[in-house]
């Protein structure tokens, strides 16, 4: 059983106390975030792939799901949902799958939505080469609000996209390897979380494998 829960943090001790009853979810969640005014929770689900928005009640407990005016296409196997620093857009990171057991590759993408008051609109898909050879897992934003660093789990690469005028570039501006020798075979490597230092001069990535 999967739930959304809220915990109160004690200021003096740091102890957690459950606030209100857990809210059941229909599927296994993979990631969530809160919007800028803390009025909504955005929750990503991997399988089946979906992105849902829930209200935050006045007591800070999870509320009802927000019905979307436009249909949402979540891509293949989402892993993360983030709100842009200006709070005007939402990006859903959908990883896709490598070919396996005779099944062809399923492409990855970044799903970009305009966002306001719990509504996701005007969806576009950023998928270089149609998403083939593009398996993003996580992203993070540079402090300037315009550069987006994306960790490609399936390719073990770090890419940087630009976001001028609230439009994410269709292609990466830069790509860097994260393995000392990408040509080595037989070693399972899987890039994970990416974080940008608050000062903006360093980017950190984690290798899950």
């Amino acid at each position: 059983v999967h739930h959304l829960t809220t915990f109160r943090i004690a200021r003096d001790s740091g102890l957690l106390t459950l606030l209100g009853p857990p809210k059941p979810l229909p599927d296994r969640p993979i990631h969530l975030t809160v919007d800028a005014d803390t009025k909504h929770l955005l929750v990503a689900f991997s399988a089946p792939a979906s992105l849902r928005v829930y209200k935050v009640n006045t007591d800070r407990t999870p509320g009802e799901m927000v019905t979307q005016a436009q249909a949402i296409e979540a891509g293949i196997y989402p892993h993360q949902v983030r709100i842009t620093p200006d709070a005007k857009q939402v990006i859903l990171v959908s990883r896709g799958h490598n070919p396996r057991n005779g099944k062809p590759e399923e492409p990855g993408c970044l799903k970009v939505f305009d966002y306001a008051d719990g509504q996701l609109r005007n969806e576009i898909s950023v998928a270089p080469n149609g998403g083939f050879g593009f398996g993003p897992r996580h992203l993070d934003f540079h402090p300037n609000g315009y550069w987006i660093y994306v960790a490609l789990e399936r390719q073990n690469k770090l890419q940087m996209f630009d976001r001028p005028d609230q439009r994410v570039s269709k292609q990466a501006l830069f790509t860097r390897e994260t393995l000392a020798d990408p040509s080595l075979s037989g070693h399972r490597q899987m890039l994970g979380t990416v974080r940008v230092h608050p000062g903006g001069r360093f980017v950190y990535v984690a290798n899950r494998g």
Side-chain angles (χ1 to χ4, degrees):
V1 179
H2 309 292
H3 295 91
L4 279 175
T5 54
T6 303
F7 288 87
R8 178 185 287 111
I9 305 174
R11 294 181 180 274
D12 54 348
S13 64
L15 291 176
L16 301 178
T17 304
L18 183 64
L19 181 64
K23 182 176 184 59
L25 293 175
D27 302 297
R28 170 181 173 264
I30 192 72
H31 190 258
L32 64 78
T33 191
V34 182
D35 62 12
D37 54 9
T38 323
K39 291 184 177 180
H40 299 91
L41 294 166
L42 293 91
V43 186
F45 300 81
S46 287
S50 63
L51 173 59
R52 297 184 175 97
V53 181
Y54 294 85
K55 292 181 180 179
V56 175
N57 296 325
T58 54
D59 63 357
R60 302 307 183 190
T61 58
E64 295 302 312
M65 187 177 74
V66 178
T67 301
Q68 297 297 310
Q70 297 181 3
I72 294 175
E73 166 54 50
I76 299 171
Y77 215 64
H79 260 79
Q80 186 197 36
V81 57
R82 293 290 305 272
I83 297 178
T84 56
D86 60 12
K88 294 181 179 180
Q89 290 181 308
V90 166
I91 303 179
L92 181 67
V93 185
S94 297
R95 190 198 68 182
H97 294 288
N98 285 331
R100 185 175 59 179
N101 299 328
K103 188 176 182 180
E105 178 183 357
E106 295 179 292
C109 64
L110 304 176
K111 292 290 188 178
V112 185
F113 305 84
D114 292 336
Y115 179 75
D117 196 28
Q119 289 291 322
L120 300 159
R121 295 185 172 90
N122 305 323
E123 172 187 334
I124 64 169
S125 184
V126 175
N129 193 38
F132 294 97
F134 182 69
R137 182 183 179 95
H138 279 174
L139 64 77
D140 200 14
F141 300 99
H142 189 274
N144 67 14
Y146 298 103
W147 298 341
I148 304 171
Y149 293 88
V150 181
L152 304 188
E153 175 187 304
R154 297 193 287 119
Q155 290 75 35
N156 295 294
K157 299 179 187 295
L158 176 67
Q159 293 191 330
M160 192 199 85
F161 291 77
D162 199 6
R163 185 176 166 264
D165 302 322
Q166 299 178 25
R167 292 177 294 178
V168 179
S169 57
K170 290 293 187 178
Q171 302 290 333
L173 276 67
F174 300 99
T175 300
R176 291 290 180 265
E177 296 286 350
T178 63
L179 304 181
D181 189 351
S183 65
L184 289 177
S185 61
H187 297 278
R188 180 175 181 266
Q189 305 289 338
M190 298 175 67
L191 203 62
T193 302
V194 57
R195 292 299 301 270
V196 181
H197 188 278
R201 295 184 59 200
F202 300 96
V203 181
Y204 303 89
V205 293
N207 187 326
R208 300 176 56 243

